[in-house]
């Protein structure tokens, strides 16, 4: 769980309450920040944002005349969700952060929270990528039940650095191997999973053959309807075939097979 201390800006920029608006504007502009903590003799007494002084024409006016004094603070050990809720509920842009000794240690802003969530998602993606392989990605994709979920998994696969495609086909027992190979190859080319050359087409064909041979062992001599997913990873391609055989087993169980090939 990500904590405030993980995303806050430590050692935030501060300014004295008797400093001028001109001094405040200079600090804000040079450091490209939107708020300053106002500190008097080591104590936090207010916060000044660029919005507080945007229309002020008296540049020699003191900061204390414009700062907000009713501050909402947060402890560094609170979660990012806690900080997000405080910011949202109070319609503010940032929170001064204190430690358990009631010492000012940083500031957390809405921008920090967004960036923190993005970093968290990236970290989770890296963890997932170690466990989500092209083979497992192809399985998940082939077993999707709706077009929306197909698109969801295609985008997720792309996020792992893989390329994927999905299609479906049905045929009699005699034509099923050919139909599976043709449909998969066309989908893979259309989605940019492979280039349209003989070597990469052969890699797809071999992966489909690998998966189909397992189906043929389960129910030899039967056609059926299947969903086929193909995912390309580093140096190899994986094909997952999911569906049911027809004819006598039209109401029978669904089958899933996976084939791989070097590419």
């Amino acid at each position: 769980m990500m904590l405030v201390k993980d995303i806050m800006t430590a050692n935030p920029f501060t300014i004295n309450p008797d400093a001028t608006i001109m001094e405040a504007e200079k600090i804000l502009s040079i450091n490209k920040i939107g708020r300053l903590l106002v500190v008097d003799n080591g104590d936090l007494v207010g916060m000044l944002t660029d919005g507080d002084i945007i229309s002020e024409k008296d540049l020699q006016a003191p900061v204390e005349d414009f700062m907000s004094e009713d501050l909402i603070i947060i402890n560094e050990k609170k979660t990012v969700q806690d900080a997000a809720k405080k910011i949202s509920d109070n319609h503010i842009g940032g929170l001064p952060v204190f430690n358990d000794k009631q010492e000012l240690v940083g500031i957390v802003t809405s921008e920090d929270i967004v960036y923190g969530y993005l970093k968290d998602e990236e970290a989770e993606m890296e963890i997932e990528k170690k466990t989500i392989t092209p083979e497992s990605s192809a399985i998940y994709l082939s077993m999707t039940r709706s077009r929306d979920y197909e698109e969801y998994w295609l985008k997720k696969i792309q996020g792992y650095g893989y390329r994927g495609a999905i299609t479906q086909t049905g045929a009699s027992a005699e034509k099923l191997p050919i139909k599976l190979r043709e449909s998969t190859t066309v989908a893979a080319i259309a989605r940019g999973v492979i280039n349209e050359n003989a070597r990469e087409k052969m890699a797809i064909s071999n992966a489909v053959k690998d998966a189909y041979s397992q189906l043929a062992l389960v129910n030899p001599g039967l056609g059926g309807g299947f969903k086929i997913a193909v995912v390309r990873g580093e140096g190899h391609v994986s094909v997952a075939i999911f569906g049911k055989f027809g004819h006598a087993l039209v109401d029978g169980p669904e089958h899933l097979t996976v084939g791989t090939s070097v590419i």
Side-chain angles (χ1 to χ4, degrees):
M1 183 178 296
M2 190 172 289
L3 304 179
V4 168
K5 65 181 180 180
D6 298 326
I7 65 167
M8 72 180 188
T9 300
N11 303 313
F13 290 99
T14 63
I15 195 168
N16 294 323
D18 58 355
T20 65
I21 295 300
M22 180 181 288
E23 291 174 279
E25 285 186 340
K26 186 175 181 181
I27 296 173
L28 290 168
S29 176
I30 290 175
N31 295 286
K32 298 180 180 178
I33 55 176
R35 52 192 55 80
L36 287 169
L37 298 180
V38 185
V39 175
D40 188 16
N41 294 322
D43 295 325
L44 179 67
V45 295
M47 181 186 291
L48 183 78
T49 71
D50 49 8
D52 294 330
I53 58 175
I54 192 169
S55 60
E56 179 54 37
K57 294 187 171 40
D58 183 3
L59 298 182
Q60 297 305 313
V63 164
E64 61 185 346
D65 290 351
F66 301 90
M67 69 184 187
S68 300
E69 298 180 71
D70 298 326
L71 298 179
I72 299 168
I73 65 173
I74 195 166
N75 186 277
E76 64 177 351
K77 295 180 181 177
K78 291 291 187 180
T79 67
V80 173
Q81 288 88 348
D82 291 330
K85 188 174 189 308
K86 277 197 172 188
I87 286 176
S88 177
D89 289 350
N90 294 282
H91 306 288
I92 54 178
L95 299 166
V97 183
F98 285 78
N99 61 19
D100 290 338
K101 297 178 181 179
Q102 299 306 308
E103 297 169 332
L104 178 66
V105 292
I107 185 171
V108 62
T109 67
S110 53
E111 292 87 356
D112 293 327
I113 290 171
V114 171
Y115 180 64
Y117 275 123
L118 289 175
K119 281 180 61 181
D120 202 29
E121 287 179 359
E122 288 172 359
E124 286 182 5
M125 186 71 77
E126 285 302 313
I127 293 172
E128 282 186 358
K129 192 171 179 181
K130 293 177 182 178
T131 57
I132 302 293
T133 63
E135 289 80 9
S136 60
S137 296
I139 290 170
Y140 295 141
L141 183 57
S142 70
M143 295 179 73
T144 52
R145 301 287 186 178
S146 68
R147 184 58 60 86
D148 288 344
Y149 209 45
E150 285 177 11
E151 290 301 321
Y152 166 80
W153 263 104
L154 285 168
K155 289 178 182 177
K156 199 172 181 70
I157 287 166
Q158 189 175 20
Y160 296 138
Y162 306 144
R163 283 178 278 171
I166 188 165
T167 186
Q168 55 189 14
T169 191
S172 62
E174 295 77 19
K175 295 183 178 180
L176 187 57
I178 297 172
K179 286 291 186 180
L180 288 172
R181 184 172 64 248
E182 288 178 347
S183 297
T184 308
T185 303
V186 169
I189 292 172
R191 277 278 186 170
V193 176
I194 63 169
N195 294 316
E196 197 170 354
N197 61 55
R199 183 178 63 84
E200 298 198 354
K201 286 181 182 179
M202 183 59 68
I204 292 290
S205 180
N206 288 337
V208 172
K209 182 179 179 182
D210 187 9
Y212 173 74
S213 64
Q214 300 163 48
L215 287 177
L217 286 174
V218 176
N219 282 298
L222 285 179
F226 297 91
K227 208 166 189 179
I228 314 109
V230 53
V231 177
R232 181 173 183 168
E234 186 67 32
H236 72 287
V237 63
S238 299
V239 168
I241 301 175
F242 178 70
K244 291 183 180 181
F245 285 99
H247 306 314
L249 295 181
V250 67
D251 295 319
E254 292 173 315
H255 297 275
L256 172 70
T257 62
V258 181
T260 60
S261 178
V262 175
I263 193 168

